[in-house]
Amino acid sequence: MSKDDKKKIYKPRPISGYPEWLPELRRTEQLMLDKIRSVYESYGYCNIETPAVEELEVIAAKGEDVDKEIYVLERLQADPDDKKEARLALHFDQTVPFARYVAMNFNELIFPFKRYQMQKVWRGERPQMGRMREFYQCDIDVINVDALPLSFDAEVAAICYEALEALNIGRVQLRISNRKILSGLLESMDIQDPAPVTRIIDKMEKIGEDEVRKLLSEEGLQDSQVSDIIALAQCKDLSKLKAANETMREGIEELSFVMEQLSHLPDDAAIADLSIVRGLDYYTGTVYETQLLDVPEFTGSVCSGGRYDDLAGSYINKKLPGVGISIGFSRLFDVLSQLGNIQPSAKSPAHVLMVLPSEDKRKLASDTARAIRSRGYNVELYHAPQKIKKQMAYAEKKGIPFVWFPPFEDGGVHEVKCMETGTQTGADPDSWTPEQK
């Protein structure tokens, strides 16, 4: 074979920001997602799935500058005569697609519409630990027509807490505020455009008080105004707040109600934190962020969200207020796995490896495997009649807990071996149950 005839091989390399797990970690990921799903459904929330792509005009309804993080879709071999700009993009989050979904299916839905969504989203992030370009979010939202009871603001927070608690990742703390409190204060100061101020306050924990004070001063605020805004953001006791106007009074009352509804949670599981404002423009009331108290390496919020008065109203002439919260699952999973806080599952979901004694016993082994599967157990049939020692080694490497031996000779009995204890006993495919450890 000449040099020119040699097969060219492209050496693949990881794509930064797009996680890809080995089977044992992927199975762990699936099991954790199942726990979250179970909690969501325990409260009666139903699952939907929306397309990976949305129209750019739909995403634009988010009301914030996210253009630099959106991935648009274009054909690689586009028609040169087609002068149209990109019309579709990978969805940036799941709240906007949910609002669009509600508007399009309004007449078929039952309100309040309570849904959860566990899908991948795509953002042009700078990849780093816990920051990815493709990742799972586990969202839960409820939307209603005209008015949405404030009790749902407490319910989605409690659901988020229970879902994170089910993952057994240590202490979780919900930090909750209400945007009306800060908005009311800014109204009383006659600040015409509150958005820059709220975005600066939202960075308080990250950049510190001195930097916040500097940035607010650069927005043209007086020193007394800056001091009052920072004092509000640092207040942890709602009873000490004095409402400057009706908007602020509503915010204090709403936040007090939500905190009271969450009083059944453990101490410090939910706290009022007025520095939480969330940078997204569509939030209008309750807002949430969540910290992992036992994982200090995890910076920022693992679970966040809030109330939005009329996001779906961008697509339909109806008032559809909603509230929701989202677990940044892949971010959480990535950090915990890199820190060694996640124990990988077995490399196989099988409960039993079915030994294949010989080729003429394949039908017996296959029939036995089907009988055990019909009773709810996962059974892998070994692929070739190789030495029993090799088949046993295969089960051990994959972490399969039981090995089943069909009769090697006519008239023989079935036997099963527990790989952990080493015990091997007779077994009936129609009644066998795993031994209790």
Side-chain angles (χ1 to χ4, degrees):
M1 182 184 291
S2 69
K3 216 174 197 182
D4 293 337
D5 291 334
K6 276 190 175 181
K7 180 180 176 182
K8 292 183 178 179
I9 296 178
Y10 170 76
K11 187 175 181 181
R13 58 185 183 273
I15 304 175
S16 181
Y18 295 82
E20 185 176 68
W21 311 118
L22 289 172
E24 52 269 35
L25 266 181
R26 171 56 179 158
R27 178 152 171 76
T28 302
E29 182 182 56
Q30 287 180 306
L31 292 172
M32 292 175 72
L33 287 169
D34 286 343
K35 289 179 180 179
I36 295 173
R37 181 181 297 108
S38 178
V39 172
Y40 286 176
E41 293 187 352
S42 74
Y43 279 79
Y45 285 70
C46 60
N47 180 245
I48 67 167
E49 184 167 294
T50 57
V53 297
E54 294 284 347
E55 291 184 324
L56 276 171
E57 289 185 7
V58 169
I59 296 176
K62 197 175 181 72
E64 59 172 326
D65 182 17
V66 295
D67 290 356
K68 64 183 180 180
E69 295 191 19
I70 293 175
Y71 287 107
V72 298
L73 262 62
E74 292 180 312
R75 288 167 51 195
L76 182 62
Q77 298 294 334
D79 187 337
D81 296 328
D82 188 358
K83 304 299 183 184
K84 294 180 181 178
E85 295 182 355
R87 186 176 67 88
L88 301 176
L90 294 171
H91 58 230
F92 175 89
D93 74 351
Q94 293 178 148
T95 307
V96 170
F98 170 54
R100 189 267 311 154
Y101 176 96
V102 171
M104 292 183 67
N105 297 281
F106 180 81
N107 292 327
E108 284 75 39
L109 299 176
I110 299 171
F111 292 92
F113 181 51
K114 304 164 69 173
R115 84 83 174 87
Y116 73 91
Q117 214 168 329
M118 299 168 65
Q119 289 182 240
K120 288 184 176 180
V121 299
W122 293 266
R123 295 184 188 178
E125 298 263 19
R126 183 172 65 86
Q128 55 186 297
M129 183 177 182
R131 292 286 182 185
M132 289 157 281
R133 291 174 172 170
E134 178 185 68
F135 53 95
Y136 278 106
Q137 284 192 176
C138 301
D139 287 22
I140 189 163
D141 286 77
V142 54
I143 276 182
N144 199 33
V145 182
D146 294 331
L148 181 70
L150 193 59
S151 58
F152 282 116
D153 294 48
E155 180 173 281
V156 297
I159 293 171
C160 170
Y161 178 83
E162 288 185 30
L164 291 174
E165 188 179 44
L167 301 181
N168 195 28
I169 53 177
R171 292 174 300 147
V172 174
Q173 185 178 74
L174 291 164
R175 300 162 64 199
I176 308 173
S177 186
N178 191 300
R179 283 181 68 138
K180 292 179 183 177
I181 300 175
L182 178 59
S183 296
L185 180 64
L186 299 182
E187 283 176 16
S188 72
M189 295 176 176
D190 200 28
I191 294 174
Q192 301 300 315
D193 184 9
V197 176
T198 58
R199 288 173 185 156
I200 292 169
I201 293 299
D202 195 44
K203 299 175 183 177
M204 175 84 80
E205 186 174 30
K206 185 182 293 185
I207 64 177
E209 179 185 335
D210 290 344
E211 186 65 19
V212 166
R213 189 177 292 275
K214 174 186 172 186
L215 292 175
L216 290 176
S217 297
E218 290 173 356
E219 289 293 327
L221 275 66
Q222 299 173 11
D223 289 346
S224 59
Q225 291 175 320
V226 171
S227 295
D228 287 347
I229 291 170
I230 290 177
L232 175 70
Q234 293 176 337
C235 178
K236 307 296 183 185
D237 187 351
L238 296 180
S239 65
K240 293 182 179 179
L241 287 179
K242 293 182 179 180
N245 54 21
E246 182 63 17
T247 301
M248 192 172 177
R249 184 189 63 78
E250 281 184 12
I252 295 170
E253 289 182 356
E254 289 177 4
L255 181 55
S256 298
F257 174 84
V258 171
M259 298 309 299
E260 176 62 28
Q261 295 300 303
L262 294 172
S263 60
H264 65 283
L265 297 179
D267 291 344
D268 295 327
I271 64 169
D273 186 340
L274 300 185
S275 69
I276 306 300
V277 294
R278 303 292 299 152
L280 307 185
D281 294 341
Y282 58 70
Y283 289 130
T284 56
T286 306
V287 283
Y288 320 93
E289 288 193 356
T290 311
Q291 282 192 321
L292 303 181
L293 300 181
D294 295 331
V295 189
E297 298 89 348
F298 191 101
T299 58
S301 177
V302 64
C303 185
S304 55
R307 175 174 277 249
Y308 41 92
D309 274 346
D310 204 19
L311 183 59
S314 301
Y315 318 114
I316 188 174
N317 190 23
K318 300 279 186 183
K319 185 179 180 183
L320 296 168
V323 65
I325 200 163
S326 174
I327 297 174
F329 178 81
S330 293
R331 182 170 180 241
L332 170 67
F333 189 82
D334 180 49
V335 171
L336 293 178
S337 61
Q338 290 195 49
L339 293 174
N341 291 9
I342 289 180
Q343 295 301 317
S345 298
K347 291 179 169 59
S348 170
H351 303 115
V352 177
L353 176 73
M354 181 62 60
V355 165
L356 182 60
S358 59
E359 195 57 46
D360 64 345
K361 295 293 183 183
R362 181 177 291 276
K363 185 177 185 307
L364 172 61
S366 183
D367 289 346
T368 304
R370 275 195 298 274
I372 300 172
R373 285 191 206 106
S374 71
R375 300 181 51 242
Y377 300 106
N378 302 334
V379 183
E380 178 180 353
L381 174 63
Y382 196 74
H383 55 278
Q386 297 174 339
K387 291 182 178 179
I388 300 302
K389 185 177 180 181
K390 189 168 186 177
Q391 298 189 48
M392 295 283 290
Y394 178 83
E396 187 173 7
K397 286 178 182 177
K398 294 190 75 173
I400 302 175
F402 295 95
V403 176
W404 193 285
F405 302 92
F408 284 28
E409 304 292 340
D410 292 342
V413 298
H414 292 269
E415 292 186 349
V416 65
K417 180 172 184 173
C418 173
M419 296 296 285
E420 182 175 341
T421 64
T423 57
Q424 184 168 327
T425 58
D428 181 349
D430 296 325
S431 61
W432 173 80
T433 56
E435 65 181 67
Q436 299 298 314
K437 298 175 184 178

